[in-house]
Amino acid sequence: MELWRRLKRKLLARPEQTVCEGEANMTYAALAGCAEALAVRLTPFRCCAILCGSERLAAVSLLGCFAAGVTAVPLSARYGETHCRRVLGALRPDAVITDEGGELRVQPFPDAGYRIPERHPAVILYTSGTTGVPKGVMLGEDGLLANVTDIAAYLAVGERDTILIVRPLYHGAVLTGEFLTALWKGLRVCFDSGVFHPSLLPGLLRESGATVVCGTPTLLSLAARFLRGPQQKLRAVCVSGECMDARTGLRLAEAFPAADIYHVYGLTEAGPRVSYLPPALFRDHPDSVGIPLRTAAVQIRRRDGRPAAPGEIGSLYVRGRSIMLGYYGAPEATDAVLQNGWLYTGDAALLDENGLLYIKGREDDMINKAGMNIYPQELESALLADPRVREVTAYGFRSPSGVQIGLKLAGDFGSVREVRALCRDVLPAYAMPAKIECLLELDKNGSGKLKRGEEHAGI
């Protein structure tokens, strides 16, 4: 329980600092006390799922599991009842922690069947799993500590700052990169557990007095449209979760001129943070995710396994102390991605001549059209350079004439004809879409990422 011991020391070093949600406030000292009181109730169990409507109470539950040495499995109703049922059915935890009636309740799971892994995971984080059964990523205490201390080393914030957390702790980047790092650095923490829309962000920033906020490029760029003038109070903005094109990055720099903008990269299996771009480099390289963390290493490999040359796109592999222990109950899936100490990320990437990392997209999103390898994110970046485009996703689909490209787009266009004209202007001929859908808003998951449907897979 070294993770809890070290977190508790951080909490008690700033006992009067606060964690709030709406009208509810608790000090760091009270947070530590509540976590340890809950830990006593958790001693009969080995693994507890956390399904709370309040993210503040979910945070207490998480720390309670750490204090008890019980594996925590955060869930979120924002990802839908079906997803939560899938996870619970696959995991079969000993108990579920809920907050019915505003109080934490520990309810034994009726069909418990949790199998203790060879190496004890502090948390099991389930992937979004838009198709099929999601995978449970097991992260150990040492890995979480390594990731938190690595993030804390570069993130220039402190106890005078307030972080606004609008996404669920279910998401690894929020759990580690926002909540645990905030406690480590002594920030005031403000949770918002309501149904979130980017239009609400300006009001939430004002009400919370936030100086730090994190989100996906989609969430932050949409929210920036609702801001009245540049936001001078924000001191740090962390962008993660999706590929960000240079134009979107520069728009964020204009919206948050007083903030250090950290463009970061990670994946749940890596703990999750892998790299960050120092804010001083952001305006010159807004589409780069920078350099590896202190305890991480990255490598770009060609298909034959040899290292790629600078500027050459290849498969991204990661190594470091925070890499997952494996997938829960899935040894074959684990062996497929953990190879001789390296994690195969499934992302296509390149390192430039200065050693800066660029993520080009998911390799399984790649569209092979008539022998041409096309990354959807590159098409999206080209279209997002036009100020009329708010959101866009490109995908491949099969037709009688072979693989074709489709677009889903939200923006200021009068007709599909106008969108097609833009495509002719900015896309190469081989990437012209055969299908275009104009929508008011694109679907997103509970963390603000644009959803890519089954039509994208394996094309």
Side-chain angles (χ1 to χ4, degrees):
M1 294 179 282
E2 180 64 18
L3 174 61
W4 170 244
R5 283 192 286 268
R6 294 185 65 179
L7 283 170
K8 182 180 177 181
R9 283 202 297 268
K10 294 290 184 180
L11 293 173
L12 297 185
R14 300 180 179 90
E16 300 304 318
Q17 186 60 285
T18 57
V19 176
C20 66
E21 183 178 42
E23 299 299 317
N25 278 274
M26 64 193 312
T27 64
Y28 271 20
L31 178 60
C34 288
E36 292 196 322
L38 176 62
V40 174
R41 299 162 59 190
L42 300 181
T43 52
F45 307 113
R46 303 160 301 171
C47 173
C48 290
I50 300 169
L51 185 54
C52 296
S54 160
E55 291 299 326
R56 181 180 63 87
L57 292 178
V60 173
S61 303
L62 177 73
L63 296 180
C65 288
F66 289 167
V70 170
T71 297
V73 186
L75 296 175
S76 174
R78 293 191 232 184
Y79 279 80
E81 184 178 343
T82 299
H83 177 70
C84 291
R85 284 180 175 174
R86 280 177 179 166
V87 171
L88 291 172
L91 179 69
R92 298 167 62 198
D94 296 332
V96 181
I97 304 172
T98 64
D99 61 348
E100 296 176 16
E103 295 184 0
L104 290 176
R105 300 185 181 185
V106 184
Q107 303 172 336
F109 193 66
D111 187 28
Y114 177 71
R115 302 180 305 279
I116 301 176
E118 184 177 338
R119 299 170 66 190
H120 172 71
V123 295
I124 301 178
L125 300 178
Y126 274 81
T127 57
S128 300
T130 53
T131 62
V133 178
K135 295 192 286 285
V137 176
M138 300 187 294
L139 300 176
E141 284 196 352
D142 289 346
L144 288 174
L145 277 169
N147 217 233
V148 169
T149 53
D150 278 0
I151 297 169
Y154 71 73
L155 189 60
V157 296
E159 58 190 81
R160 294 185 179 181
D161 287 298
T162 294
I163 184 170
L164 173 65
I165 299 180
V166 298
R167 298 179 293 171
L169 290 171
Y170 164 88
H171 190 44
V174 179
L175 188 153
T176 304
E178 296 183 41
F179 176 60
L180 294 183
T181 300
L183 297 186
W184 200 267
K185 301 276 285 188
L187 278 67
R188 175 172 172 261
V189 179
C190 285
F191 287 107
D192 181 78
S193 301
V195 177
F196 181 78
H197 187 275
S199 63
L200 301 175
L201 186 62
L204 292 173
L205 290 172
R206 184 172 58 253
E207 292 164 13
S208 66
T211 59
V212 182
V213 72
C214 308
T216 64
T218 296
L219 184 155
L220 292 171
S221 61
L222 286 176
R225 293 174 178 265
F226 297 97
L227 298 173
R228 294 181 179 177
Q231 299 299 293
Q232 301 289 350
K233 192 168 185 179
L234 281 173
R235 294 201 326 108
V237 176
C238 302
V239 190
S240 68
E242 299 169 314
C243 291
M244 181 169 69
D245 64 285
R247 177 83 177 219
T248 298
L250 293 176
R251 286 176 184 163
L252 293 182
E254 292 174 5
F256 310 115
D260 287 337
I261 299 182
Y262 296 86
H263 189 194
V264 304
Y265 164 74
L267 64 161
T268 307
E269 289 88 341
R273 192 64 48 81
V274 171
S275 69
Y276 76 101
L277 181 72
L281 301 180
F282 184 76
R283 285 191 175 272
D284 291 331
H285 308 277
D287 50 344
S288 170
V289 292
I291 57 178
L293 303 189
R294 295 183 307 179
T295 64
V298 300
Q299 189 177 90
I300 312 295
R301 299 181 189 174
R302 298 170 176 165
R303 289 187 178 181
D304 60 9
R306 292 185 299 160
E312 181 182 3
I313 297 175
S315 299
L316 175 61
Y317 286 76
V318 177
R319 185 171 64 186
R321 288 173 53 195
S322 64
I323 298 300
M324 71 171 181
L325 305 177
Y327 294 119
Y328 175 73
E332 292 183 0
T334 299
D335 291 342
V337 297
L338 292 182
Q339 304 167 10
N340 298 318
W342 289 88
L343 169 69
Y344 166 63
T345 66
D347 287 319
L350 65 84
L351 287 166
D352 70 10
E353 63 279 1
N354 298 313
L356 295 179
L357 180 64
Y358 293 76
I359 307 298
K360 308 308 289 184
R362 293 293 299 168
E363 291 190 319
D364 52 11
D365 284 339
M366 188 180 70
I367 304 164
N368 189 312
K369 180 185 176 188
M372 297 292 294
N373 291 335
I374 303 168
Y375 290 102
Q377 287 83 356
E378 298 207 336
L379 308 187
E380 294 158 8
S381 294
L383 292 166
L384 284 165
D386 189 290
R388 293 173 294 177
V389 180
R390 293 195 301 274
E391 302 174 294
V392 60
T393 59
Y395 61 92
F397 67 94
R398 301 189 187 280
S399 75
S401 58
V403 172
Q404 299 293 334
I405 294 172
L407 284 183
K408 293 182 180 180
L409 181 144
D412 303 322
F413 294 91
S415 66
V416 169
R417 181 178 298 176
E418 291 182 17
V419 177
R420 199 173 297 282
L422 172 62
C423 291
R424 283 196 296 267
D425 288 340
V426 301
L427 299 180
Y430 63 81
M432 282 295 294
K435 182 193 298 185
I436 297 174
E437 297 176 74
C438 290
L439 306 169
L440 293 176
E441 186 175 342
L442 272 58
D443 288 340
K444 304 170 191 68
N445 66 18
S447 293
K449 291 184 184 181
L450 290 175
K451 288 184 177 180
R452 293 188 181 276
E454 295 182 23
E455 60 209 337
H456 302 264
I459 301 295

